[in-house]
Amino acid sequence: MLLEVRDLQVEFRTRDGVAKAVNGVDYAVDAGETLAVLGESGSGKSVTAQAIMGILDMPPGRITGGEILFQGRDLLKLKEDERRRVRGAEMAMIFQDALSSLNPVLSVGDQLGEMFVVHRGMSKKDARAKAVELMDRVRIPAARERVKDYPHQFSGGMRQRIMIAMALALEPALIIADEPTTALDVTVQAQVMELLAELQREYHMGLILITHDLGVVADVADRIAVMYAGRIVEQAPVHDIYKAPAHPYTRGLLDSIPRLDQKGQELYAIKGLPPNLMHIPPGCAFNPRCPMARDVCRTDVPPLYEVGDRRTSACHFWTECLNG
Ligand SMILES: Nc1ncnc2c1ncn2[C@@H]1O[C@H](COP(=O)(O)OP(=O)(O)OP(=O)(O)O)[C@@H](O)[C@H]1O
Ligand SMILES: [Mg+2]
């Protein structure tokens, strides 16, 4: 397994109290595999990603438990300089907003080239050639001329391609893309997503794709992890989940996808709100909103049940859920 996150726990200490943002996340990604991470706003998707990348805000953040096994090593046990090396060359992250992630006062050619100068000891000239090659690779028209341009001179879609190029530069084994297309126009979204999926296959990388777009998930993901209140409530191969979810929260998410054949009908929405992370309800965190909840759900935290091959559910009543 390329990456295995085991029982990861992260909290934030704030003036108002301790927010338990990540409460025992378990998920795994293999080389050449795309894992989509779904879940409502605030469920801990980005915080988990930041912990894996080693870019968590500490303080106020604190990793209080768990393991992050990457190519067999526990990243949480590495020294900071080893960690930095992994982050630069072996895993990379793509963010929603390229404009705030790219350096505004460096040309894109210099930013891309810098990766090769710093990590590969290349000359400036060779690094520049590499930058042009990468810009071609992510299909930026007239790459040779545009390599001297600055980030703000590119459209949103093109900037996102440049960020993909930055992430790919050192051919990492793992890429984490945190809502990489959310800020783009719908038509551009599809093109950028297609490009990312194509490169992921070609380079045989592991990809963790955080997204709200269930349409994208069906097209590009191999597996899905559904997060709720800082925990993975269900993890499964894509087709299994679409066929029959094994957690009522997953069912709620799937039922809230707009469908073309139901135009005009009111969209189903999961009732209620996600919990306050300073006061997560006892038992199953989803119980106050769950149509299936019973007494045990209000008292006992569900373990991760093995539902099938590499498939888990954190619902006491997963069998009932599976059978519809
Ligand atoms: N820097 C921080 N300081 C304090 N609390 C934080 C910080 N970053 C995150 N949190 C807490 O962690 C929770 C989870 O945040 P996270 O960004 O992982 O959510 P998310 O699932 O990525 O949501 P979204 O879909 O909106 O991006 C937040 O609700 C917040 O309470
Ligand atoms: Mg997020």
Side-chain angles (χ1 to χ4, degrees), residues 36-199:
V37 180
L38 296 175
E40 282 162 301
S41 187
S43 56
K45 305 180 297 293
S46 297
V47 168
T48 303
Q50 288 155 11
I52 296 169
M53 277 298 288
I55 55 170
L56 198 64
D57 248 345
M58 296 198 286
R62 216 162 69 98
I63 295 176
T64 52
E67 292 174 313
I68 301 174
L69 301 173
F70 180 65
Q71 295 172 327
R73 292 168 297 181
D74 185 355
L75 295 182
L76 297 179
K77 297 213 171 90
L78 294 187
K79 294 201 193 74
E80 185 46 38
D81 59 325
E82 294 171 306
R83 194 74 210 268
R84 207 173 308 124
R85 213 168 311 132
V86 170
R87 178 158 66 237
E90 296 173 49
M91 56 169 72
M93 192 151 169
I94 298 169
F95 300 91
Q96 177 176 329
D97 179 8
L99 207 49
S100 60
S101 318
L102 296 169
N103 186 335
V105 299
L106 273 187
S107 73
V108 300
D110 283 345
Q111 286 180 64
L112 284 166
E114 200 177 65
M115 310 275 291
F116 296 100
V117 173
V118 172
H119 290 273
R120 297 277 188 267
M122 279 190 188
S123 69
K124 282 219 153 166
K125 185 158 165 280
D126 290 348
R128 174 56 63 104
K130 272 291 207 185
V132 173
E133 196 184 303
L134 270 172
M135 287 170 72
D136 263 333
R137 199 69 207 67
V138 296
R139 297 200 212 100
I140 293 181
R144 197 171 298 281
E145 288 85 66
R146 302 222 59 186
V147 71
K148 293 192 207 65
D149 287 350
Y150 292 84
H152 73 269
Q153 294 173 287
F154 291 85
S155 68
M158 288 298 151
R159 269 199 299 270
Q160 215 58 11
R161 286 167 191 265
I162 290 163
M163 197 148 58
I164 292 174
M166 293 277 289
L168 282 175
L170 303 173
E171 303 189 14
L174 175 73
I175 286 195
I176 304 177
D178 193 350
E179 307 199 30
T181 63
T182 305
L184 305 173
D185 291 342
V186 177
T187 48
V188 181
Q189 276 184 357
Q191 293 161 3
V192 170
M193 203 53 240
E194 233 164 76
L195 174 72
L196 183 58
E198 179 190 317
L199 293 167

Side-chain angles (χ1 to χ4, degrees), residues 266-279:
E266 195 144 337
L267 211 58
Y268 174 85
I270 302 169
K271 281 199 231 42
L273 291 171
N276 177 339
L277 297 173
M278 294 184 192
H279 306 283

Side-chain angles (χ1 to χ4, degrees), residues 7 23-24 26 228 231-234 246-249 280-288 290 293-307 312-318:
D7 198 25
N23 299 297
D26 292 88
Y228 189 80
R231 219 185 153 198
I232 305 296
V233 293
E234 180 168 6
H247 196 287
Y249 180 62
I280 295 176
C284 169
F286 186 57
N287 86 70
C290 182
R294 288 168 227 176
D295 286 345
V296 62
C297 307
R298 289 180 268 273
T299 52
D300 295 10
V301 175
L304 281 186
Y305 294 100
E306 297 276 341
V307 171
T312 55
S313 165
C315 175
H316 291 299
F317 299 103
W318 64 270

